[in-house]
Amino acid sequence: MNEALLQFIWQYNLYRVTGLYTAAGEPLTIIHPGRINKDAGPDFLEGKIKIGTTTLVGNIELHTKASDWVKHGHQHDAAYKNLILHVVYENDLPDAAANVPVLELKGLIQDDVIARYMVLMQAPQQLPCSGRHEQIRSITKESWLSRLLAERWEQRLSEWNVLLENSAEDWRNLLYWRMAANFGFKTNSVPFLMLAQSLPLNIPTKHKDNLMQIEALLFGQAGMLDVDFEEDYPRELQREYDYLRNKYSLKPIAGHLWKFMRMRPANFPTVRIAQFAALIHKSLHLFSQIIETHSVKEIEPLLDVTASSYWDTHFRFDDAQQQKSPKSLGKTSVQNIIINTIAPVQFLYAARQDTHKLQEQALQLLEAVPAEKNNITRIWEENNWVPLNAAQSQALLQLYNNYCSRKRCLECAIGLNIIKAQ
């Protein structure tokens, strides 16, 4: 027994609720267990009980052992002076909480409730509920996925709100920074964001008609032009960057931040930077276009970019390949950008404008994109939970990373139903 499980059992009445008595032998009725409190203070607030003929309303504290009251120092804390009930699993110290009625739950909890909890906690699989989640009703799973997606976006967009405030509420800057981070995908998202933040948007915007200058600015700020090159094109970029760096008093980020190891050459940061340069070169009013567009078919052409011709035969500077291959942003990469940048930016913009219709359209945009394919979604598929679209795959990523891998089954709608056997 632990406090988290005890709180769960108390919250959902998973014990024999009739014929209860306090440790002092007084008849006890639980009218309402109270509202769980995740902050400091008693575990449950605004509970309602009846002892004998007296009805009491107030806070309730739970402990696995009554002696924990003293161990936790509650006897010296004013927040615990007006409790109506002290619920314990084991009443090992009856007088621990003086003047507070005590209810011992040991012997009142059904063995199968604890057994189902232990099966989840001791499961060796990556998913504790493997083989069991299929028993849960579809409507429960679908509503839980919707909540998980909202939770995922709440976490992400709280960080984006800070970025927006740091950019003086300039939505173009936010999109520029988040788009850059997305072009780095998972491996190089941090240095890509640092690159964008080191190069104010107004500078590449001034040079957007000249692709070479945009490339020079991006590769230079990425710290990739501070070497002796053999080929003409990187030398030209180097000369152009030296001029622009002095003109705008730029300071590049450290080149060692970029990762190339264990990556497909098409995903090398050099290729992604060249593609990002092509996007800046192509787009005139990207933010307004993205905010006003809620169709995947309309968004895809906006992101249909190809790196400059030098990269047709290169993955890195001074490393020519024999086979010519244009480096276009693939469909999967475009879908990734829709999922991780465009839909969230649309949702945040709609939330800040308090426009529920636009928020719904942002969610519908995710539903129109195929589900992601990665190690985590494959785990779900192997366990017979196949996401139907990107909205569901994003929710399942949140479920795995924040609940399953941490065995937070008591806070999960699936775990809750399995333990309650509903």
Side-chain angles (χ1 to χ4, degrees):
M1 181 58 62
N2 57 63
E3 280 202 23
L5 177 58
L6 191 63
Q7 289 178 359
F8 178 85
I9 289 169
W10 178 255
Q11 182 178 6
Y12 294 102
N13 301 320
L14 302 179
Y15 59 93
R16 178 170 56 78
V17 296
T18 58
L20 299 179
Y21 290 87
T22 67
E26 299 172 290
L28 170 66
T29 302
I30 308 302
I31 301 171
H32 192 281
R35 173 173 53 85
I36 193 165
N37 176 30
K38 295 295 184 181
D39 299 315
D43 294 317
F44 286 82
L45 309 177
E46 303 165 8
K48 188 174 183 180
I49 65 174
K50 187 176 182 180
I51 297 179
T53 59
T54 304
T55 299
L56 302 171
V57 177
N59 301 333
I60 299 171
E61 178 67 3
L62 274 67
H63 287 114
T64 53
K65 293 186 176 182
S67 57
D68 289 340
W69 176 275
V70 177
K71 195 179 296 182
H72 296 170
H74 294 328
Q75 71 274 23
H76 305 301
D77 192 335
Y80 295 86
K81 284 187 176 179
N82 297 313
L83 294 179
I84 61 171
L85 188 65
H86 186 203
V87 179
V88 300
Y89 178 69
E90 183 180 350
N91 192 16
D92 65 331
L93 191 60
D95 298 326
N99 302 319
V100 180
V102 176
L103 170 64
E104 183 182 60
L105 290 184
K106 190 174 183 179
L108 302 178
I109 302 170
Q110 296 178 358
D111 291 339
D112 55 349
V113 170
I114 299 176
R116 286 191 291 270
Y117 170 75
M118 292 306 299
V119 167
L120 292 177
M121 291 300 101
Q122 296 174 356
Q125 302 97 333
Q126 293 168 305
L127 301 181
C129 62
S130 177
R132 296 176 181 84
H133 68 77
E134 295 173 70
Q135 308 162 8
I136 308 304
R137 293 183 302 168
S138 296
I139 191 170
T140 300
K141 295 167 81 169
E142 288 169 9
S143 61
W144 180 226
L145 288 185
S146 296
R147 178 67 194 99
L148 287 165
L149 179 60
E151 179 183 286
R152 184 174 179 82
W153 277 13
E154 284 168 9
Q155 292 173 354
R156 178 181 296 175
L157 298 183
S158 65
E159 300 171 4
W160 292 23
N161 263 316
V162 174
L163 285 175
L164 188 60
E165 290 167 6
N166 291 342
S167 67
E169 301 289 320
D170 189 331
W171 287 92
R172 296 173 307 156
N173 255 328
L174 177 65
L175 181 62
Y176 169 57
W177 289 341
R178 294 314 314 171
M179 192 73 80
N182 207 154
F183 265 75
F185 294 88
K186 187 174 182 179
T187 306
N188 284 298
S189 61
V190 172
F192 234 119
L193 177 59
M194 293 171 63
L195 162 60
Q197 291 177 323
S198 76
L199 183 64
L201 179 58
N202 66 305
I203 296 176
T205 300
K206 289 177 183 177
H207 299 271
K208 70 174 300 298
D209 294 330
N210 189 320
L211 180 56
M212 174 177 279
Q213 289 181 333
I214 297 173
E215 283 193 359
L217 285 165
L218 289 174
F219 281 114
Q221 285 302 103
M224 293 184 180
L225 297 181
D226 191 20
V227 293
D228 293 326
F229 293 114
E230 297 176 1
E231 297 179 335
D232 291 338
Y233 191 70
R235 286 178 178 175
E236 291 180 47
L237 293 179
Q238 201 171 45
R239 286 192 293 270
E240 198 69 51
Y241 177 65
D242 286 342
Y243 166 74
L244 294 170
R245 178 181 182 177
N246 291 326
K247 180 179 180 179
Y248 295 113
S249 301
L250 297 173
K251 184 178 179 181
I253 69 172
H256 67 79
L257 296 173
W258 300 97
K259 297 178 178 63
F260 288 82
M261 293 289 289
R262 292 183 290 278
M263 293 183 68
R264 291 174 58 244
N267 292 329
F268 279 178
T270 42
V271 175
R272 295 304 188 193
I273 289 173
Q275 291 169 339
F276 190 55
L279 179 65
I280 294 174
H281 178 59
K282 174 183 178 179
S283 61
L284 182 60
H285 303 293
L286 187 60
F287 176 74
S288 59
Q289 290 174 305
I290 281 176
I291 288 301
E292 295 167 3
T293 305
H294 300 283
S295 162
V296 173
K297 289 184 178 180
E298 291 177 306
I299 291 174
E300 286 178 340
L302 301 178
L303 302 176
D304 182 15
V305 294
T306 303
S308 60
S309 58
Y310 174 82
W311 299 99
D312 289 353
T313 54
H314 292 77
F315 291 105
R316 304 180 73 156
F317 288 118
D318 284 346
D319 188 16
Q321 309 294 312
Q322 291 184 348
Q323 187 175 359
K324 186 175 181 180
S325 173
K327 306 300 187 298
S328 299
L329 200 61
K331 190 167 186 177
T332 301
S333 296
V334 170
Q335 291 170 351
N336 183 288
I337 292 171
I338 293 173
I339 294 167
N340 292 294
T341 296
I342 294 177
V345 164
Q346 286 186 353
F347 187 88
L348 179 60
Y349 182 78
R352 294 287 285 262
Q353 301 297 317
D354 197 22
T355 308
H356 294 293
K357 181 180 178 181
L358 292 180
Q359 287 178 299
E360 285 296 320
Q361 288 176 331
L363 292 171
Q364 290 167 4
L365 184 60
L366 277 192
E367 293 172 356
V369 177
E372 299 147 277
K373 298 291 184 183
N374 52 48
N375 292 336
I376 294 175
T377 57
R378 278 191 285 274
I379 290 172
W380 285 111
E381 289 174 3
E382 290 167 2
N383 284 270
N384 298 319
W385 196 342
V386 181
L388 303 178
N389 51 50
Q392 290 192 359
S393 62
Q394 282 280 291
L396 288 174
L397 289 174
Q398 183 76 2
L399 177 55
Y400 181 85
N401 290 325
N402 289 271
Y403 294 86
C404 303
S405 63
R406 303 179 187 181
K407 293 203 172 182
R408 290 172 60 194
C409 302
L410 293 176
E411 301 169 63
C412 169
I414 309 301
L416 183 153
N417 278 269
I418 290 172
I419 297 170
K420 291 171 66 177
Q422 292 182 356

